[in-house]
Amino acid sequence: MVGIRYPRPLVAGDLVGVATPSSGVPASLHDRLDAALDAVAAHGFRTRVGELARVDGVTSGPPEARAAELTEMMTDPTVRAVIPPWGGDLAVDLLDRLDVDALAVDPTWLIGYSDLSTLMTPLTLATGIATLHGANLMDTPYELPVEFSSWVDVVTAPAGAILVQSAAPRRRIRPWGPWATEPRTRDDAYEQPTRWRRLDGDDPVTVTGRLIGGCLETIALLPGTPSGDLDGFARRHAPEGLLVYLEAAEADTLETARLLHRLRLAGWFDHANAVLIGRTPAPESPGYPRLQALTDTLGGLGIPVLYDADVGHEPPQLPLVNGALAEVEWDAASARITQRLVP
């Protein structure tokens, strides 16, 4: 067995890179980007913004340019974390353009969610280097629930740190508005009560394993490719078993079921001790409710399945470290996750 490797913790004055491996930021949202950069600076870090960050379009540039920008920042010893503005749709076209061996020499924190899962999860699978799912740069100005850590808390935590977080009491349901009028305090940003639920019963559950997962629509692309060797990762790095977490960005319930079936048939739950499914703003298909989709695809696994977790595209986002040893405790009234940054 080989232990998980964690990038060096950040300290005040360290450099945070803003690479754009998927979509850039259109001019209409540059004020929000600037506010996010100010929020990073307020935590005591310097920032370096790549040339592709303020490029509009489906992607921020050709795949070669995006791969080169990400690689340069991830291998620059002065850059200690890389956090893209947000996700997008086509980070997959970087997978065969990244030299994972070069990225593993001096590990740098890679932070994000959504389309960034397409890169972060394969990096952890291939190298055993921890990556951080749960926020993008553009989310940084929002105040998180007191029950959460922030991405800054995680990347500054010392080796062996224990991070304890509890389920959010409320979630965001309002549509996104102009940045100038966006509510950013925790009391205003999240308005509807929420809680984690258990698919396979009501009994309390405590379960441990190594965290791995991300956005369902992108994770489902990985099995059968060199970037998706979850079985090898589990054998090399996770004798404790896995806690697999997934969340749908836009897939309706029929597409969600197809993607979950694909992962199940590819063996992605074979090493799982439990599955966490994040909340989603995605629609339900006519005649096929979300609960039925989850029951049809995951109900027969014989392991705990928790859903409506604080993961993904319906804020707030819970920071989860791919590769961390985690314990999830759940009952009908509460949920808690403890992450240990240990090899």
Side-chain angles (χ1 to χ4, degrees):
M1 294 295 175
V2 181
I4 297 294
R5 298 170 63 198
Y6 298 87
R8 177 178 66 76
L10 273 68
V11 297
D14 272 342
L15 184 60
V16 173
V18 180
T20 313
S22 190
S23 293
V25 180
S28 61
L29 290 173
H30 285 181
D31 54 350
R32 181 175 170 186
L33 174 60
D34 292 334
L37 293 169
D38 289 342
V40 175
H43 286 291
F45 303 129
R46 297 174 294 126
T47 57
R48 179 198 297 171
V49 181
E51 294 181 357
L52 302 179
R54 299 180 189 268
V55 176
D56 198 359
V58 174
T59 64
S60 61
E64 296 82 4
R66 289 181 281 129
E69 181 184 77
L70 179 63
T71 299
E72 189 280 325
M73 289 195 186
M74 291 287 291
T75 57
D76 183 339
T78 69
V79 176
R80 301 316 311 167
V82 174
I83 180 167
W86 46 21
D89 297 287
L90 289 173
V92 65
D93 59 13
L94 271 62
L95 281 178
D96 59 353
R97 293 178 167 90
L98 296 176
D99 183 346
V100 293
D101 292 332
L103 300 183
V105 172
D106 181 18
T108 298
W109 279 109
L110 182 58
I111 306 160
Y113 77 105
S114 191
D115 199 29
L116 272 299
S117 298
T118 322
L119 305 176
M120 295 191 304
T121 304
L123 179 60
T124 299
L125 293 181
T127 67
I129 292 171
T131 55
L132 177 54
H133 182 281
N136 293 318
L137 175 66
M138 299 286 266
D139 303 306
T140 305
Y142 290 89
E143 190 176 40
L144 289 171
V146 296
E147 293 84 0
F148 282 21
S149 301
S150 70
W151 69 263
V152 174
D153 295 326
V154 176
V155 302
T156 56
I162 299 174
L163 306 171
V164 181
Q165 302 176 92
S166 298
R170 297 186 306 279
R171 64 187 176 103
R172 177 183 179 129
I173 58 171
R174 66 169 59 84
W176 298 97
W179 175 245
T181 61
E182 267 290 299
R184 290 165 234 172
T185 66
R186 63 173 62 97
D187 291 333
D188 296 327
Y190 319 110
E191 65 270 49
Q192 185 172 89
T194 186
R195 66 182 178 90
W196 298 17
R197 303 171 189 274
R198 185 173 177 182
L199 181 68
D200 53 316
D202 296 321
D203 292 338
V205 61
T206 298
V207 62
T208 62
R210 295 280 174 176
L211 284 164
I212 197 73
C215 180
L216 176 62
E217 289 96 321
T218 68
I219 294 298
L221 302 174
L222 301 178
T225 75
S227 300
D229 184 11
L230 183 65
D231 180 71
F233 171 81
R235 288 185 283 102
R236 291 189 300 272
H237 301 287
E240 310 89 348
L242 301 175
L243 299 182
V244 177
Y245 65 90
L246 298 163
E247 55 90 18
E250 300 173 340
D252 63 22
T253 46
L254 284 171
E255 181 64 11
T256 292
R258 286 190 286 264
L259 296 175
L260 287 173
H261 276 305
R262 183 185 186 330
L263 290 176
R264 179 181 60 80
L265 293 169
W268 261 58
F269 305 114
D270 290 355
H271 297 277
N273 297 332
V275 178
L276 307 181
I277 300 294
R279 290 189 306 268
T280 178
E284 292 189 333
S285 306
Y288 198 59
R290 194 169 314 282
L291 188 58
Q292 183 177 349
L294 295 178
T295 300
D296 289 349
T297 54
L298 304 177
L301 293 180
I303 56 176
V305 177
L306 304 176
Y307 66 100
D308 284 352
D310 307 307
V311 181
H313 283 75
E314 198 169 67
Q317 290 98 352
L318 187 73
L320 298 177
V321 178
N322 284 319
L325 182 61
E327 178 182 78
V328 172
E329 302 166 88
W330 178 92
D331 61 37
S334 64
R336 182 170 69 175
I337 181 166
T338 302
Q339 299 177 76
R340 292 174 169 82
L341 306 187
V342 296

